[in-house]
Amino acid sequence: MAITTCIFDAYGTLFDVSAAAREAAEEPGNEALAKVWPALAADWRTKQLQYTWLRAVTGEHTDFWTVTQDGLDWALDKQGLLGDEALRERLLALYWELSAYPEVPAMLAALKEAGFSTAILSNGSPDMLDGAVQSAGIGDLLDDCLSVESVGIFKPADAVYDLVNKRFGCENEQVLFVSSNGWDASAACGYGFFTAWVNRAGEPMDRLGHPPHEMLTDLTTIPDIAKAI
């Protein structure tokens, strides 16, 4: 079946999750952060994801903003910066204004011009996603932002991927799902979507039994892939 619907993970896929730490590190007064920001950004993201998995497994769901703050606190603690409340608040504020990767607007515009439905499917809470989408100026290029908050469990639970079919009335085979997380792309592949893994960091493929159909270094070719399937 031909692809009708293109679904994107948000954080790390459309939006640069390192941007908050990078931008804060460039600001006056944040010299301590400037020395360690790449490590802090990586730890923040890792813990953010780990906490979603642990909460899904234990059934102790909370919103993504909570795990985002918890992940940051762990990362700040590791770097000896936990007591800097001004820095913490600045980093959290910048997370609501994450920049989109450079190719995102043109890629989404090409999909819309070709007649595809487009949407985000994210662990992010609705207000966080709205802030990121509006900050990036891509709201008119998306048909919807689907959040796990409507089902109360984080990815990679099937209930999250179910949201796509319920919203767009499509079959699994009509969905191109795109994520920068190898585990997310693998889970979506096992669910039945055609999947593309945006492997910007050149990481090895996760050993999860369902390798993504495509592996890319950025999102530029997504419209071509969607048309070719």
Side-chain angles (χ1 to χ4, degrees), residues 48-71:
Q48 182 191 53
L49 290 174
Q50 288 177 352
Y51 291 159
T52 65
W53 301 330
L54 290 169
R55 286 186 173 276
V57 169
T58 60
E60 298 180 357
H61 183 73
T62 188
D63 63 277
F64 196 62
W65 184 234
T66 297
V67 297
T68 297
Q69 293 179 81
D70 290 343

Side-chain angles (χ1 to χ4, degrees), residues 175-194:
V175 176
L176 170 58
F177 179 80
V178 186
S179 180
S180 63
N181 301 300
W183 56 269
D184 189 17
S186 178
C189 182
Y191 181 82
F193 293 158
F194 190 96

Side-chain angles (χ1 to χ4, degrees), residues 11 63-66 69 95-97 123-135 145-147 149:
Y11 299 106
D63 63 277
F64 196 62
W65 184 234
T66 297
Q69 293 179 81
Y95 207 87
W96 287 73
E97 304 172 1
N123 281 337
S125 55
D127 53 350
M128 290 180 69
L129 292 172
D130 183 65
V133 167
Q134 297 308 317
S135 178
C145 286
L146 306 176
S147 167
E149 287 306 300

Side-chain angles (χ1 to χ4, degrees), residues 4-202:
T4 62
T5 308
C6 297
I7 304 296
F8 298 86
D9 174 59
Y11 299 106
T13 303
L14 297 180
F15 306 116
D16 182 359
V17 292
S18 297
R22 182 176 62 248
E23 291 174 19
E26 295 172 350
E27 296 175 351
N30 290 336
E31 288 76 17
L33 175 64
K35 297 176 182 178
V36 299
W37 79 262
L40 184 138
D43 287 338
W44 187 2
R45 178 59 172 165
T46 296
K47 282 297 175 180
Q48 182 191 53
L49 290 174
Q50 288 177 352
Y51 291 159
T52 65
W53 301 330
L54 290 169
R55 286 186 173 276
V57 169
T58 60
E60 298 180 357
H61 183 73
T62 188
D63 63 277
F64 196 62
W65 184 234
T66 297
V67 297
T68 297
Q69 293 179 81
D70 290 343
L72 175 58
D73 288 340
W74 190 96
L76 288 168
D77 197 1
K78 183 178 179 181
Q79 298 298 336
L81 297 172
L82 187 58
D84 191 337
E85 286 301 318
L87 175 60
R88 181 182 188 273
E89 291 305 312
R90 181 58 179 152
L91 287 166
L92 290 174
L94 286 169
Y95 207 87
W96 287 73
E97 304 172 1
L98 295 177
S99 56
Y101 287 104
E103 75 274 14
V104 168
M107 179 273 300
L108 289 175
L111 288 174
K112 296 305 298 177
E113 184 177 356
F116 294 102
S117 297
T118 60
I120 284 173
L121 178 66
S122 174
N123 281 337
S125 55
D127 53 350
M128 290 180 69
L129 292 172
D130 183 65
V133 167
Q134 297 308 317
S135 178
I138 59 173
D140 60 341
L141 301 175
L142 294 166
D143 294 305
D144 212 338
C145 286
L146 306 176
S147 167
V148 302
E149 287 306 300
S150 64
V151 291
I153 190 170
F154 291 115
K155 294 178 186 179
D158 280 358
V160 177
Y161 303 114
D162 287 343
L163 293 172
V164 176
N165 302 24
K166 292 176 181 177
R167 167 60 177 82
F168 291 99
C170 53
E171 300 295 329
N172 286 355
E173 294 81 4
Q174 295 175 294
V175 176
L176 170 58
F177 179 80
V178 186
S179 180
S180 63
N181 301 300
W183 56 269
D184 189 17
S186 178
C189 182
Y191 181 82
F193 293 158
F194 190 96
T195 59
W197 175 31
V198 187
N199 185 14
R200 296 179 187 272

